[in-house]
Amino acid sequence: PVQPLSQRQLEILNSIAQGLQDQEIANRLNLNVYTVKEYKRTVFQKLGAANRTEAVAIALRKNLLKI
């Protein structure tokens, strides 16, 4: 089972699914790019994903995305 994602982690995941890069996500969510990278690392870990593509695929299967 996937560990629950926080609201901010879901925002990061949705932004990744939309194809935004880390700096674009940081700008959109008014975060530091290093904070985005840390959120991204945690999201990947919770989903058991190795990269962006795998994270989005897992999230789609688990109905975690709003796209």
Side-chain angles (χ1 to χ4, degrees):
V2 173
Q3 293 181 47
L5 299 177
S6 71
Q7 187 60 41
R8 182 62 90 184
Q9 290 168 341
L10 287 169
E11 289 174 327
I12 299 285
L13 183 57
N14 274 284
S15 296
I16 289 169
Q18 292 169 24
L20 298 180
Q21 296 303 309
D22 293 349
Q23 186 62 60
E24 294 171 309
I25 296 169
N27 293 345
R28 175 188 275 187
L29 300 178
N30 198 28
L31 296 171
N32 183 293
V33 70
Y34 299 105
T35 303
V36 171
K37 290 176 187 290
E38 188 59 30
Y39 272 115
K40 190 173 70 173
R41 186 191 64 76
T42 303
V43 168
F44 289 6
Q45 184 178 31
K46 284 185 172 184
L47 294 176
N51 56 49
R52 288 169 164 257
T53 304
E54 192 174 0
V56 170
I58 291 167
L60 285 170
R61 283 197 306 272
K62 306 238 179 239
N63 293 317
L64 297 175
L65 295 173
K66 298 176 185 170
I67 56 171

